[in-house]
Amino acid sequence: MTNWVYPLGSATDGVWDISLGTSDSATAIDGWAHTGLKVATVAAGAAVELPAVAEERIVVPLNGAFTVTVDGVNHPLAGRSSVFHGPSDVLYSGTGKAVTISSADGGRVAVATAPARTSYPTRLVLAAETPVELRGAGNCSRQVHNFGTPAALEADRFIVCEVITPAGNWSSYPPHKHDEEKDGETHLEEIYYFETQVAAGSGAPADADAIGYQRVYASDERPIDVSAEVRTGDVVLVPYGWHGPAMAAPGYDLYYLNVMAGPGPVREWLISDDPHHGWVRQSWEGQNIDPRLPFSA
């Protein structure tokens, strides 16, 4: 069976800590065709480069500030101290563009990708412009940064966002799928890139092992069964099937970057809930959003 879980260190490629699903990724994934992810740790004064290929990209600082050069133009990204400090500036490169990512002081950066044909303009999305959504309620409350969704960004194929889930809460819940083209649903592959941290005020020891969990299971006759413990730098791929919850363990906050794209004619996130658990949405009525949200700088 194809591997759908990549712990930190299992998908390295040269200067990249993670390289999965992109045009130049060394790790082959059977049946994976529509999305990609690269993550790099960039030393102070150093840079990483991506060649011009038929692939659209969005550069997302995880920690630190960066400058992204496209078509000879430098685009400064103010960045952030961590993914748990609110949105960051991000840069959409367009398609068929060489990209250079540099950092004066160093940091970690993610690049979401998707094979693309139609060209759209390079665009800088500032942190202050990023739509921040507080989704769910009660212990299903989470925070979504919608910088790469159809309503916020003109792009060809992919849908990109990031989610912060406070300690003890569930997100990507109720379990849902987007593996068919039909009324009310679009066919999208999905990448989850995770980071974790000890929650403020948790009383955890300094060497606490911050963890979260991710679940993926079959929605039809195709077998898939993922119950993964995740930490900073781990990746879970969702080719099809019901997925959720993504669980922030008590004492530990959970972050994930989502990259979605598919073969369908419409760039839209349309989902079907697992009918056994969809009723949970109605239980949120009358509940408040978790007061720990929003996470910000």
Side-chain angles (χ1 to χ4, degrees):
M1 181 181 293
T2 301
N3 181 25
W4 303 121
V5 180
Y6 291 85
L8 177 64
S10 64
T12 59
D13 187 4
V15 299
W16 298 97
D17 302 332
I18 296 168
S19 181
L20 289 168
T22 62
S23 60
D24 62 347
S25 293
T27 301
I29 308 168
D30 291 341
W32 196 261
H34 305 291
T35 56
L37 176 71
K38 287 182 173 290
V39 176
T41 302
V42 181
V48 292
E49 298 182 353
L50 292 163
V53 295
E55 183 176 85
E56 61 185 349
R57 299 161 173 149
I58 191 163
V59 180
V60 183
L62 301 172
N63 71 277
F66 295 85
T67 298
V68 184
T69 305
V70 181
D71 289 334
V73 178
N74 293 332
H75 303 271
L77 305 185
R80 51 194 169 182
S81 57
S82 86
V83 295
F84 297 99
H85 286 78
S88 169
D89 300 345
V90 302
L91 187 84
Y92 175 74
S93 71
T95 303
K97 303 291 182 72
V99 175
T100 300
I101 306 167
S102 59
S103 179
D105 299 319
R108 295 177 59 254
V109 64
V111 184
T113 76
R117 297 179 181 177
T118 304
S119 180
Y120 289 91
T122 299
R123 182 182 165 195
L124 173 65
V125 181
L126 299 175
E129 299 172 340
T130 297
V132 177
E133 175 189 3
L134 300 184
R135 188 179 295 172
N139 65 353
C140 289
S141 300
R142 58 271 205 190
Q143 176 175 332
V144 186
H145 301 158
N146 288 311
F147 52 77
T149 59
L153 178 70
E154 191 176 37
D156 183 22
R157 303 306 305 166
F158 63 23
I159 299 170
V160 187
C161 66
E162 55 187 10
V163 181
I164 303 172
T165 309
N169 284 11
W170 286 24
S171 58
S172 286
Y173 196 74
H176 57 280
K177 73 179 184 76
H178 37 71
D179 56 16
E180 296 180 88
E181 287 291 329
K182 64 179 186 179
D183 287 345
E185 186 176 333
T186 45
H187 179 191
L188 301 167
E189 288 178 348
E190 186 164 10
I191 298 173
Y192 281 73
Y193 164 79
F194 291 95
E195 297 206 2
T196 54
Q197 73 167 10
V198 174
S202 67
D207 61 349
D209 184 15
I211 57 173
Y213 295 88
Q214 172 69 22
R215 180 82 173 106
V216 186
Y217 56 98
S219 59
D220 53 26
E221 71 279 359
R222 294 171 293 179
I224 186 168
D225 188 358
V226 174
S227 295
E229 186 172 277
V230 295
R231 296 169 173 79
T232 293
D234 294 351
V235 176
V236 174
L237 305 182
V238 183
Y240 48 80
W242 306 112
H243 47 287
M247 295 171 278
Y252 307 120
D253 299 320
L254 181 69
Y255 161 96
Y256 50 89
L257 175 66
N258 275 152
V259 187
M260 293 174 278
V266 179
R267 178 179 171 244
E268 193 169 2
W269 183 65
L270 299 177
I271 65 171
S272 298
D273 285 340
D274 183 333
H276 294 97
H277 306 295
W279 64 268
V280 169
R281 293 189 189 276
Q282 282 65 56
S283 72
W284 300 340
E285 295 178 7
Q287 293 190 55
N288 294 324
I289 294 286
D290 191 311
R292 293 173 291 179
L293 298 176
F295 281 67
S296 70

